[in-house]
Amino acid sequence: MPTTSPPDLSVHASPQEQSLAKTTAIRLRSLDVFRGITVLAMILVNNPGNWGKIYAPLRHAAWHGCTPTDLVFPFFLFIVGVSIAYALSGAKQKPETHGKTLLRIARRGFTLFALGLFLALFPKFEFDTVRIPGVLQRIGVVFIIAASIFLKTERRSQLVIITALLVGYWLLMMFAPVPGVGEANLQQTTNLAAWLDHQLLPGHLWKSTKVWDPEGILSTLPAIATALIGILVGQWLKQKDEPGNKIAWLMVWGVICTCAGLIWDLHFPINKSLWTSSFVLYTAGLAMLGLGVCYWLIDVKGYQRFTTPFLVYGVNAITVFFLSGLIPRIMNMVKVSTPTGEVDSKTWLYESFYTPHLSPYNASLAWALTWIFFWMIILWIMYRKNIIIKV
């Protein structure tokens, strides 16, 4: 990321020029805030007290369709793309260092993959049945490929790659016959992506299905397109132009992509588990609109007082996501004796302090909110002490 120090502004510069210089030279606070909102939402939807008692907006769509929960992961990959454009723009201009930069990209991507694999293994470390795909694993793979494409190509080529990924994935999923099944289809267990997952990763897939994975192999291709769209947006925001023009075009393209996704949905349904091409456009469009609003309020208008709770999540996003997955697993290992028998500490806390006082759905939500505030305190302390853990 660029440094946080703004350039010296001449006393002769116009207010517009000062605003332009400031918003193009400093790190985008709005991007960190938007990332923080996204990670906070991840923790909210990943940590209910009772998975059977969840309000509808906090559930994933059963199959086709899109709930607010389904927006979280594509928003994060979009943000990864925007961040790549900011973090690697300097290295991109130095071809003689590309080799070293590619090694750093690979190291970071493999580290993310390893962290995700560790979460899948912990605490039993059953390598024979461990789930290999996963959220951090997909982030790692997408980061390596998208960052490498950004480093070695220009915007026109990136746009061509996005188009090829989305159109190619649509053609494969809608028209390529599925071996052993027959015609192309989008059913959960018999589509081409599910067939490929089952062929290449038997016994290492999502335990809820065992024959396909929502972060599977083939659906990672359009996920790369999500990050590449973020890269295009990041390059646009870095241009030397009036902030008003940037916001206007960002909002226009946000509406265009959202509508294009809804139109494509009529033939290739919006589906998070398959990461369909319509899902990519629809969610990327909404991400543009969300980032555009944040950029206008925070970096242009300077409304920053309300942003700190989200900022603390945004600057340590991977750290809190990893730990929020690790701590509940540790709590499940810690046993507490009760009059009815031994239970894990998570269950004991939930049933002792939440379910007796709230309705089942509100108790489940309150547990998730407790985790949000718990991590906010930890992250706030880290932020005040300038502790930022980078993978």
Side-chain angles (χ1 to χ4, degrees), residues 74-370:
F75 275 23
F76 192 86
L77 287 185
F78 171 87
I79 293 166
V80 167
V82 179
S83 300
I84 287 170
Y86 273 82
L88 297 181
S89 59
K92 184 181 177 70
Q93 305 304 319
K94 301 176 182 177
E96 68 277 7
T97 67
H98 281 188
K100 292 182 179 179
T101 303
L102 288 170
L103 286 176
R104 290 198 301 270
I105 289 169
R107 184 168 58 248
R108 185 177 187 190
F110 283 122
T111 300
L112 289 167
F113 193 98
L115 288 173
L117 200 58
F118 176 84
L119 282 180
L121 285 166
F122 188 85
K124 296 181 179 180
F125 291 90
E126 296 174 342
F127 289 89
D128 291 342
T129 58
V130 63
R131 181 193 177 198
I132 294 177
V135 171
L136 284 173
Q137 294 92 314
R138 172 166 283 184
I139 294 172
V141 171
V142 168
F143 174 77
I144 290 173
I145 297 174
S148 300
I149 289 172
F150 169 72
L151 194 68
K152 305 302 291 187
T153 66
E154 300 303 324
R155 275 181 283 188
R156 179 172 296 182
S157 297
Q158 293 158 20
L159 184 59
V160 170
I161 293 171
I162 291 169
T163 304
L165 287 171
L166 297 183
V167 174
Y169 186 64
W170 164 66
L171 291 173
L172 283 173
M173 294 298 293
M174 294 299 294
F175 300 103
V178 182
V181 174
E183 294 183 354
N185 69 89
L186 297 180
Q187 300 303 311
Q188 288 189 2
T189 60
T190 58
N191 64 77
L192 186 62
W195 173 83
L196 188 63
D197 288 342
H198 189 58
Q199 292 298 308
L200 298 182
L201 298 172
H204 296 281
L205 301 172
W206 191 33
K207 65 180 180 180
S208 297
T209 66
K210 298 183 179 179
V211 294
W212 63 273
D213 200 289
E215 279 78 51
I217 298 169
L218 192 59
S219 61
T220 299
L221 295 177
I224 294 168
T226 297
L228 289 174
I229 293 173
I231 284 175
L232 290 179
V233 169
Q235 291 173 96
W236 169 252
L237 290 175
K238 281 183 63 62
Q239 287 186 154
K240 293 182 178 180
D241 195 1
E242 289 289 343
N245 291 337
K246 295 181 184 181
I247 294 168
W249 280 110
L250 187 58
M251 303 301 274
V252 167
W253 278 106
V255 171
I256 290 173
C257 286
T258 302
C259 292
L262 291 172
I263 294 170
W264 208 345
D265 170 63
L266 300 175
H267 178 67
F268 192 23
I270 291 172
N271 185 305
K272 185 263 180 188
S273 293
L274 292 176
W275 213 279
T276 52
S277 304
S278 56
F279 177 74
V280 171
L281 292 180
Y282 176 69
T283 56
L286 293 178
M288 290 181 207
L289 296 175
L291 180 58
V293 170
C294 289
Y295 179 67
W296 177 71
L297 287 174
I298 299 167
D299 288 311
V300 177
K301 291 297 183 180
Y303 298 124
Q304 299 187 357
R305 182 173 297 180
F306 73 94
T307 63
T308 305
F310 306 109
L311 186 65
V312 300
Y313 268 95
V315 297
N316 272 303
I318 295 298
T319 300
V320 68
F321 180 77
F322 176 78
L323 291 177
S324 69
L326 182 65
I327 299 302
R329 288 169 169 81
I330 295 175
M331 293 180 68
N332 288 335
M333 297 168 58
V334 179
K335 303 300 181 181
V336 177
S337 296
T338 69
T340 58
E342 197 174 60
V343 298
D344 63 80
S345 60
K346 176 185 173 183
T347 301
W348 178 78
L349 286 170
Y350 183 62
E351 293 182 350
S352 298
F353 299 101
Y354 292 82
T355 57
H357 309 292
L358 297 167
S359 67
Y361 281 88
N362 286 338
S364 184
L365 177 60
W367 177 265
L369 292 173
T370 300

Side-chain angles (χ1 to χ4, degrees), residues 39 43 309 312-317 319-320 323 372 374-385 387:
V39 174
I43 294 174
V312 300
Y313 268 95
V315 297
N316 272 303
T319 300
V320 68
L323 291 177
I372 286 175
F374 169 77
W375 286 115
M376 187 175 293
I377 292 170
I378 302 299
L379 294 170
W380 207 306
I381 294 171
M382 292 175 65
Y383 180 74
R384 292 293 298 270
K385 294 182 176 295
I387 300 173

Side-chain angles (χ1 to χ4, degrees), residues 61-82:
W63 190 237
H64 297 324
C66 186
T67 71
T69 297
D70 292 318
L71 299 176
V72 175
F73 195 10
F75 275 23
F76 192 86
L77 287 185
F78 171 87
I79 293 166
V80 167
V82 179

